[in-house]
Amino acid sequence: YKPKSKLLRINTKPRSSIPQSQCYIALLHLLLSSTSTFWAKMTLLHIRQGVIREGLNPDRVLVLGLTLLFFATSGFYMMEGLIQPEAEGSRLINSFYCAVMTLTTVGFGDICPGPEESVSTEARLFLVGITLLGLGIFCGPVMNLASWWRHYVSPSVLAVMALSLGTAIFMAVEDRSLADALYASVITATTIGYGDITPSTEYGKVLVAFYSLFVVNVMGILLEPARVFFEDLCRLGDTISSKEETTTQEPKKDL
């Protein structure tokens, strides 16, 4: 019986095992990473198909937008007086934040530009240049790049998604109330940019900057039906339009 009892003692010896909670966390992390990778690939594929449908080269649009964003961020970072001296946080993050706020014409005016006497003539010319370039690129090719959403998502659903994202950012990162967060997301999306509610943390500045790049172009596409509706509402009567149609028609030639 001794060998048997010894064998039993060997078999019943406690083994080191991974806690069950860690297994669940690792499995959840694997599931989320694989899902995010799949959706990222699908999103890039749909963006490329949507931009090609608009008659644009997606690679050129992406390179052009990133180049302008890098140029604007570098200018805010290197030129003195473009960022207020009392602005908190990293200068690089503040420069990226100010560049996006300028290119998207949101223009909160919270930390940029600096005091009037500290902004040089070169800095003002720089701001004029990137503003005009931003209007031409982000309100043109980049907006068309963002228009691929309308082929897959209805405008009402997209509006709810965009405003919900902005509201969640201001609530979670900036600790704002629901009303203030919704107000700030709408003011940002419509590029009004009052500047009364702005991000103060570094994480908030980065997230709001990326949110502005996304929502400004999406909001431009969503406002298209409203533009068409009010243009039709303000048109002249049907009698004048029908008379113009008859005058533009070519007379038929007798055979």
Side-chain angles (χ1 to χ4, degrees):
Y1 296 106
K2 288 183 179 180
K4 187 175 181 180
S5 61
K6 185 178 180 180
L7 181 61
L8 289 175
R9 284 197 300 272
I10 294 175
N11 291 337
T12 57
K13 186 177 180 179
R15 301 176 181 178
S16 60
S17 60
I18 301 176
Q20 194 174 13
S21 60
Q22 294 185 7
C23 294
Y24 288 144
I25 294 175
L27 182 61
L28 180 61
H29 181 269
L30 178 63
L31 179 62
L32 290 176
S33 61
S34 60
T35 304
S36 61
T37 303
F38 170 76
W39 281 111
K41 291 181 179 179
M42 292 298 295
T43 301
L44 291 175
L45 177 62
H46 287 164
I47 289 177
R48 192 174 185 86
Q49 292 176 351
V51 176
I52 291 175
R53 185 182 290 109
E54 298 295 329
L56 298 173
N57 187 323
D59 298 329
R60 292 183 182 179
V61 174
L62 183 61
V63 170
L64 195 61
L66 291 178
T67 302
L68 181 59
L69 183 58
F70 174 79
F71 176 72
T73 303
S74 302
F76 274 100
Y77 185 82
M78 293 185 295
M79 289 186 177
E80 297 294 334
L82 291 183
I83 299 179
Q84 296 181 5
E86 62 272 12
E88 300 179 355
S90 169
R91 183 172 179 84
L92 180 60
I93 292 179
N94 290 335
S95 300
F96 173 74
Y97 169 75
C98 291
V100 174
M101 294 301 106
T102 304
L103 293 174
T104 56
T105 68
V106 173
F108 282 137
D110 47 352
I111 64 172
C112 52
E116 181 179 355
E117 61 276 5
S118 64
V119 183
S120 62
T121 304
E122 293 78 9
R124 296 183 189 278
L125 293 176
F126 166 77
L127 292 178
V128 171
I130 64 171
T131 302
L132 295 176
L133 291 175
L135 287 172
I137 295 176
F138 283 89
C139 295
V142 177
M143 182 173 290
N144 289 334
L145 185 147
S147 66
W148 70 272
W149 287 91
R150 71 176 187 266
H151 301 293
Y152 304 97
V153 184
S154 64
S156 58
V157 174
L158 185 58
V160 172
M161 290 172 57
L163 296 180
S164 299
L165 177 62
T167 303
I169 291 174
F170 280 99
M171 289 182 65
V173 182
E174 296 298 322
D175 196 21
R176 294 286 183 174
S177 64
L178 177 60
D180 289 343
L182 179 61
Y183 164 80
S185 63
V186 172
I187 295 301
T188 303
T190 54
T191 70
I192 294 176
Y194 284 134
D196 51 346
I197 298 179
T198 58
S200 57
T201 62
E202 291 188 350
Y203 290 110
K205 291 175 183 177
V206 173
L207 291 176
V208 170
F210 280 109
Y211 171 70
S212 301
L213 289 173
F214 162 74
V215 74
V216 167
N217 296 283
V218 170
M219 192 59 63
I221 301 301
L222 294 178
L223 294 178
E224 182 68 16
R227 182 191 66 82
V228 174
F229 172 77
F230 285 108
E231 281 186 354
D232 293 338
L233 189 64
C234 296
R235 292 186 190 279
L236 298 176
D238 294 335
T239 56
I240 300 179
S241 61
S242 60
K243 186 182 296 184
E244 291 178 353
E245 290 179 0
T246 54
T247 54
T248 55
Q249 291 179 356
E250 297 180 357
K252 295 182 181 181
K253 296 181 179 180
D254 297 333
L255 297 177

